[in-house]
Amino acid sequence: MTLIPGDGIGPEVSEAARMVIAATGAQIEWDIQEAGAAVAAREGTPLPDRVIESIRRNRTALKGPIATPVGTGFRSVNVALRQELDLFAAVRPALKLPGLPSRHPRVDIVVIRENTEDLYAGIEFERGSAELQRLRDELRSLAGLDVPADAGVTVKPISITGTRRVVAFAFDFARRHGRGKVTVGHKANIMRFSDGVFLRTAAEEAAAYPDVEFESCQIDELALRVASEPESLDLLLLPNLYGDIVSDLCAGLVGGLGVAPGANLGWEYALFEPVHGSAPDIAGKGAANPVAIVLSGAMMLDHLGEGRAARVIRDAVQSVLRESSALTPDLGGTASTEGMARAIADKAAEVLGSA
Ligand code: NAI
């Protein structure tokens, strides 16, 4: 498997994930590939071709976070990977974990986010640029509308094709994981021709899955429901931007970014990564919570058909959280990244030994 340690806390938590996965006995040979800030400084690009080639070869990757420096001209490595490998669905489970404070006793939500379109498609026009001036003229003649001269513009494309495949993916996922309801979030009353396509396409495709309940909900109301009655939600299917925001909101309900795993999936390739970023404020201090990437590793093992190793990791994480003896500072403890990972790995070995 390709392993991209990443920036900031990435190398620390990636090492922790390797330690825990090794403890399950799963035979993984890692093809370690550097990407991110250090590579950019050395080679002039944060994402050398060999990284993409490695993932194409191995088909599956585990990745630490990669920083996107603001305003340097570098394209986000994360967005580039999703586009290059056509990883059109992001899967982000939010499960209430034992021992962690939460306002709600039962949270078990999976967010599936469309990963390639919407306002993240990268179609942008800089304020004051000649291109934006031409676009403003076109818009004035086509729509009779004036875009303010001091505005910047980002375009929001949402296609039937792009929506159809993520809807099929989401309903298949619901079936395979025994989830009974898919809730689509949108703002189709305002953005009729972008969110409208998402909503209508989802509703049409849902008819092919009569065994899975389908509902739609405006995104603002959905945010309220996530915060106030998360137990009424099962699988959320969202366009790119809403999915990004709502999945962090869900992570906040179950213990924060330190415990939120994720996957970016397409028909051909799979890239597993924690939801969190490179956390520059705690990088190098040994204070990062390894659980998010460890649980991302468990998702990867499931994907590889190593379901037993995945279950052992989840059980081990839950035991360590329940016992509260080796928690990192974000969870109120004093353990180091390595200390918590070691405790999880020891539990995994214990579970396997007693099986
Ligand atoms: P962040 O997720 O790195 O940090 C937000 C807060 O959460 C910080 O206080 C951080 O210390 C804390 N945190 C995050 N992960 C943690 C962990 N495992 N254990 C304990 N605390 C943790 O988000 P931020 O600061 O907005 O982004 C930093 C950089 O990461 C940016 O360059 C951003 O572009 C990048 N990023 C990369 C992602 C990826 O590679 N998929 C995802 C999100 C952000």
Side-chain angles (χ1 to χ4, degrees):
M1 300 297 107
T2 302
L3 178 69
I4 305 173
D7 293 320
I9 60 171
E12 303 163 53
V13 294
S14 300
E15 203 37 53
R18 280 176 65 169
M19 185 204 290
V20 173
I21 291 171
T24 68
Q27 300 292 311
I28 307 269
E29 191 184 318
W30 298 104
D31 175 7
I32 297 178
Q33 295 289 336
E34 303 289 340
V39 188
R42 241 182 5 247
E43 302 184 31
T45 169
L47 183 61
D49 288 345
R50 62 174 177 276
V51 179
I52 303 263
E53 281 155 20
S54 164
I55 301 175
R56 286 197 205 281
R57 215 169 37 242
N58 297 321
R59 298 191 164 263
T60 307
L62 182 63
K63 173 185 158 298
I66 292 184
T68 304
V70 179
T72 58
F74 281 129
R75 189 173 161 219
S76 155
V77 169
N78 302 307
V79 173
L81 280 170
R82 288 166 202 162
Q83 289 178 348
E84 288 283 337
L85 300 167
D86 206 15
L87 303 170
F88 61 82
V91 178
R92 294 179 169 183
L95 175 68
K96 162 92 177 74
L97 291 164
L100 301 186
S102 170
R103 286 195 177 79
H104 301 279
R106 203 184 76 77
V107 181
D108 182 5
I109 297 173
V110 173
V111 176
I112 294 187
R113 155 188 172 193
E114 199 289 323
N115 229 0
T116 62
E117 301 199 308
D118 195 355
L119 285 162
Y120 290 8
I123 311 172
E124 299 215 89
F125 294 88
E126 191 177 358
R127 175 180 60 85
S129 67
E131 292 79 11
L132 182 50
Q133 183 52 47
R134 281 174 58 195
L135 183 68
R136 289 177 64 233
D137 293 344
E138 283 295 328
L139 287 173
R140 191 176 303 114
S141 90
L142 288 172
L145 290 173
D146 266 328
V147 173
D150 57 354
V153 170
T154 300
V155 177
K156 174 171 168 137
I158 294 192
S159 69
I160 292 177
T161 318
T163 306
R164 232 180 226 152
R165 61 184 186 172
V166 78
V167 175
F169 178 92
F171 276 92
D172 284 346
F173 184 98
R175 274 186 178 163
R176 275 187 287 119
H177 293 84
R179 294 192 169 261
K181 183 167 72 173
V182 171
T183 304
V184 165
H186 67 91
K187 198 73 185 175
N189 54 330
I190 310 278
M191 285 169 280
R192 296 165 296 154
F193 305 130
S194 48
D195 283 18
V197 166
F198 198 86
L199 175 60
R200 262 193 313 280
T201 308
E204 280 162 21
E205 296 295 308
Y209 302 84
D211 50 318
V212 181
E213 188 186 338
F214 171 79
E215 70 171 356
S216 64
C217 186
Q218 290 192 18
I219 193 64
D220 41 354
E221 186 194 338
L222 187 59
L224 182 71
R225 280 177 68 190
V226 169
S228 60
E229 43 168 303
E231 64 288 347
S232 75
L233 299 165
D234 190 348
L235 190 156
L236 308 184
L237 172 59
L238 303 169
N240 208 339
L241 174 67
Y242 308 145
D244 192 10
I245 297 167
V246 171
S247 56
D248 272 30
L249 175 57
C250 290
L253 286 183
V254 295
L257 285 173
V259 297
N264 294 294
L265 305 173
W267 298 133
E268 283 190 78
Y269 306 108
L271 179 85
F272 297 84
E273 62 175 342
V275 172
H276 64 72
S278 59
D281 51 338
I282 56 168
K285 296 183 178 160
N289 187 334
V291 167
I293 195 167
V294 164
L295 292 177
S296 306
M299 290 173 79
M300 183 189 82
L301 290 168
D302 264 335
H303 176 80
L304 296 172
E306 297 276 354
R308 179 152 182 266
R311 269 195 309 281
V312 166
I313 289 181
R314 290 193 186 100
D315 289 351
V317 165
Q318 298 217 0
S319 295
V320 168
L321 292 175
R322 204 175 291 116
E323 288 171 11
S324 293
S325 52
L327 304 182
T328 43
D330 59 307
L331 301 181
T334 54
S336 65
T337 307
E338 196 194 334
M340 187 169 188
R342 169 72 50 211
I344 298 168
D346 288 349
K347 275 283 175 224
E350 209 178 291
V351 175
L352 280 166
S354 64

